[in-house]
Amino acid sequence: MAESTVDHSWDVIVIGAGPVGENAADRARKAGLTVAIVEKHLVGGECSFYACSPSKALLRPVLVTHASQRVQGSEGARVDRDGVLARRDSWIDNLSDKGAVGWLDSAGIDLVRGTARLAGERRVEVEGRVYEARHAVIVATGTAPLVPDLPGLRDANPWTNRDATTSPRVPERLVVLGGGPVACELAVVFAAIGSEVTIVEQEDRLLGRMERFAAEAVAAGLREQGVRIRTGAAATKVTRPGQGGEVTVDLDNGESVVADEILVAVGRVPNTADLGLDSVGVATDEKGYLPVTERMEVKGAVGDEPWLYAVGDVNGIALLTHMGKYQGRACGDLVGARATGRPVDPASMTPWAEGLGTVQVVWTDPEVAATGLTEEQARERGIRVRVVEVPMDSAAGSGLQAEGYQGRARMVVDEDKGTMVGATLVGQDVAELVHPATVAIVGEVPLRTLWHAVPAFPSMSEIWLRLLEEYGI
Ligand SMILES: Cc1cc2nc3c(=O)[nH]c(=O)nc-3n(C[C@H](O)[C@H](O)[C@H](O)COP(=O)(O)OP(=O)(O)OC[C@H]3O[C@@H](n4cnc5c(N)ncnc54)[C@H](O)[C@@H]3O)c2cc1C
Ligand SMILES: NC(=O)c1ccc[n+]([C@@H]2O[C@H](COP(=O)([O-])OP(=O)(O)OC[C@H]3O[C@@H](n4cnc5c(N)ncnc54)[C@H](O)[C@@H]3O)[C@@H](O)[C@H]2O)c1
């Protein structure tokens, strides 16, 4: 493409202003490069407006109410439906991205509004204008909800995460397709604010990527909260005769579920269609994700030097904000170093810790906080594994946190190295307990050294001491 056709040039162009694109852009800018970020909808992305932030804003009042009801002397808290929805509206700023745009401005990152496509090496086209990236293009376009090809489903105009996290309406009966984190978290919310919720999951369990005992505890909690769970049941047909009217989901076991709204939460599809990948010689994998090297360089891109990168959900490595942001930071630093001729430091400019497994918290009641590898993943990697488990109430702090505290902690140990490679905690308020385990895993801290990291009494952190004692230290 001739230089004269270029409308503007920056050192770096980031496509997609979700949390991951923002982080990559920020690090490249901090390296002294000029940076533009292209966004077709809201700066802040799916995470800020339709996913992490609204779902957690909705969940917090519910979880804190449940928690207070478990503490003698503080009974009487109740969920205020309108207050819950108002808190959500405030967190998503009524779908205004003014705050995030202000941040881009303060960070010195230029915003280009519109839908971007690649248009050859180092070229990005946005609504008919062609821009040049002198050094790098970073794709951070994220994912969209997957709506499967189920007879009648699309015609039923189902809710996706976008509707469920922004709706001012609370359906009387809600059927949720899928039993992953989206389904479980939103089931907690809607059950608490007045819906009769049914989850339909085709596998024999919820939360398929987590330890089975954790999924079972979440299922038991959901049932206690009034949620009906149909596992091992695949939907075969959806019928909704009137727009917005009653919806019926037929299952392959002959049963059917009738509801007033249907939420589809069966996973994601990457936003890579119509991204102009042909123009740069790139093919996606069979699910549509962008294949990348360990340095987030898109495989197969034309050109002699690396210039095209993909970070966050769109590369399919880990569909989690924090893991994507980690990739984004490393990628922004790498692009900055390469562009300015500074040495490339693999220890900080490669997101190598992903290889140790991801950390994830699911904010159900009970919560699940997991880091590193599950027992199964560790065995699959050929690690000589020992699994240690203790009840959460073996830490005195748990009993003080809630009367009759229920929960379980599991540590997965690499017996050859004498280090922790994974941990899963299930129980109320475990989300903030998991980070020390991530530090121990990433730092490969020997269990014998961890024994000297003394947890305060009577905190729930003593669970780490109980696990080490159970191991035999
Ligand atoms: C209901 C729900 C709850 C979740 N909760 C959590 C949680 O608690 N913790 C967690 O870690 N993860 C959570 N996730 C996952 C998390 O939302 C994603 O991992 C995260 O949003 C990925 O960030 P991203 O920047 O890669 O993509 P996104 O947030 O999807 O942002 C991509 C951006 O790119 C823009 N874009 C796309 N194509 C183009 C184009 N061609 N041109 C210009 N712009 C474009 C989009 O408009 C969007 O703004 C949740 C997901 C869901 C659905
Ligand atoms: N707290 C968090 O960290 C958090 C919260 C929400 C979402 N997320 C992330 O967002 C991503 C998307 O989450 P998700 O829950 O949509 O997807 P998921 O892939 O994690 O789970 C989808 C579930 O739907 C089931 N399923 C698939 N097709 C089905 C069908 N036709 N009928 C019934 N069940 C079906 C699958 O077996 C699976 O259990 C995940 O990677 C998740 O980790 C994270």
Side-chain angles (χ1 to χ4, degrees):
M1 191 170 292
E3 197 63 27
S4 57
T5 61
V6 169
D7 288 287
H8 198 91
S9 303
W10 289 268
D11 292 331
V12 179
I13 299 177
V14 179
I15 305 179
V20 179
E22 286 177 328
N23 268 256
D26 189 37
R27 299 294 276 228
R29 180 74 195 110
K30 285 195 170 114
L33 307 183
T34 59
V35 182
I37 195 162
V38 190
E39 175 53 53
K40 68 174 181 182
H41 184 42
L42 291 168
V43 176
E46 197 74 7
C47 174
S48 304
F49 294 98
Y50 305 108
C52 329
S53 301
S55 61
K56 269 78 240 177
L58 288 161
L59 278 160
R60 178 68 185 153
V62 174
L63 298 181
V64 92
T65 301
H66 291 180
S68 93
Q69 289 166 346
R70 295 187 192 115
V71 181
Q72 189 182 3
S74 86
E75 292 101 327
R78 62 173 187 89
V79 172
D80 163 27
R81 186 178 86 160
D82 293 343
V84 170
L85 297 178
R87 180 172 202 262
R88 181 272 320 273
D89 290 342
S90 142
W91 268 86
I92 58 175
D93 206 3
N94 295 299
L95 297 180
S96 157
D97 63 2
K98 220 167 60 194
V101 171
W103 174 80
L104 281 183
D105 206 32
S106 67
I109 299 162
D110 292 337
L111 172 63
V112 178
R113 294 269 189 193
T115 302
R117 310 182 76 244
L118 294 161
E121 189 177 345
R122 293 186 167 85
R123 295 285 193 278
V124 174
E125 188 192 314
V126 184
E127 320 278 338
R129 294 170 75 87
V130 176
Y131 301 114
E132 178 198 44
R134 283 184 289 268
H135 294 290
V137 174
I138 303 176
V139 180
T141 49
T143 55
L146 168 69
V147 180
D149 236 351
L150 183 65
L153 180 59
R154 280 185 199 158
D155 294 337
N157 198 17
W159 271 9
T160 65
N161 64 291
R162 286 198 164 193
D163 308 279
T165 52
T166 55
S167 174
R169 191 167 62 82
V170 179
E172 256 178 58
R173 295 165 298 176
L174 176 68
V175 56
V176 185
L177 273 196
V182 172
C184 292
E185 289 185 347
L186 291 173
V188 170
V189 171
F190 280 93
I193 60 175
S195 298
E196 198 177 274
V197 182
T198 307
I199 289 179
V200 175
E201 162 60 56
Q202 64 188 13
E203 299 297 326
D204 70 343
R205 53 168 291 195
L206 304 178
L207 298 174
R209 281 187 292 273
M210 305 198 107
E211 299 273 16
R212 189 174 276 275
F213 79 92
E216 283 166 4
V218 170
L222 283 167
R223 286 196 184 97
E224 256 175 53
Q225 291 148 52
V227 176
R228 294 187 189 137
I229 301 172
R230 305 279 166 85
T231 45
T236 52
K237 191 172 80 173
V238 176
T239 324
R240 190 174 216 176
Q243 270 283 328
E246 204 167 76
V247 57
T248 304
V249 180
D250 292 339
L251 308 180
D252 61 357
N253 60 9
E255 291 176 24
S256 52
V257 181
V258 181
D260 303 294
E261 200 50 81
I262 176 167
L263 164 63
V264 183
V266 298
R268 314 288 298 171
V269 278
N271 291 326
T272 49
D274 210 24
L275 205 54
L277 297 175
D278 286 354
S279 74
V280 295
V282 169
T284 64
D285 70 12
E286 69 284 358
K287 289 185 174 162
Y289 291 101
L290 284 177
V292 290
T293 66
E294 60 171 19
R295 291 197 175 165
M296 306 292 117
E297 300 145 343
V298 177
K299 290 183 184 169
V302 294
D304 299 332
E305 303 286 328
W307 64 276
L308 184 64
Y309 302 80
V311 286
D313 271 20
V314 75
N315 67 26
I317 293 173
L319 275 60
L320 291 164
T321 295
H322 45 274
M323 298 312 290
K325 289 192 333 192
Y326 169 53
Q327 296 167 7
R329 293 191 294 269
C331 180
D333 288 355
L334 176 65
V335 165
R338 282 179 168 164
T340 54
R342 286 198 287 269
V344 169
D345 172 13
S348 68
M349 295 171 192
T350 309
W352 54 265
E354 281 166 346
L356 304 173
T358 54
V359 60
Q360 180 169 17
V361 172
V362 180
W363 275 272
T364 39
D365 184 13
E367 292 169 356
V368 183
T371 186
L373 306 176
T374 60
E375 176 186 357
E376 194 183 329
Q377 288 165 340
R379 291 195 194 283
E380 278 167 9
R381 290 187 187 199
I383 295 172
R384 195 163 66 85
V385 165
R386 179 164 160 212
V387 172
V388 178
E389 274 190 26
V390 292
M392 283 296 299
D393 63 3
S394 60
S398 306
L400 286 161
Q401 195 81 355
E403 321 307 341
Y405 191 106
Q406 303 258 318
R408 199 150 192 83
R410 167 180 281 200
M411 172 170 77
V412 182
V413 178
D414 179 332
E415 282 290 79
D416 292 324
K417 290 188 176 164
T419 58
M420 197 191 308
V421 290
T424 297
L425 306 173
V426 183
Q428 183 192 305
D429 301 327
V430 295
E432 303 295 340
L433 278 188
V434 76
H435 192 58
T438 306
V439 174
I441 292 167
V442 172
E444 297 193 355
V445 184
L447 294 186
R448 294 198 171 279
T449 306
L450 272 188
W451 188 76
H452 295 282
V454 181
F457 177 84
S459 69
M460 284 169 53
S461 293
E462 281 197 315
I463 200 65
W464 297 114
L465 179 54
R466 295 289 100 80
L467 282 164
L468 294 175
E469 287 167 344
E470 181 66 21
Y471 181 78
I473 289 180

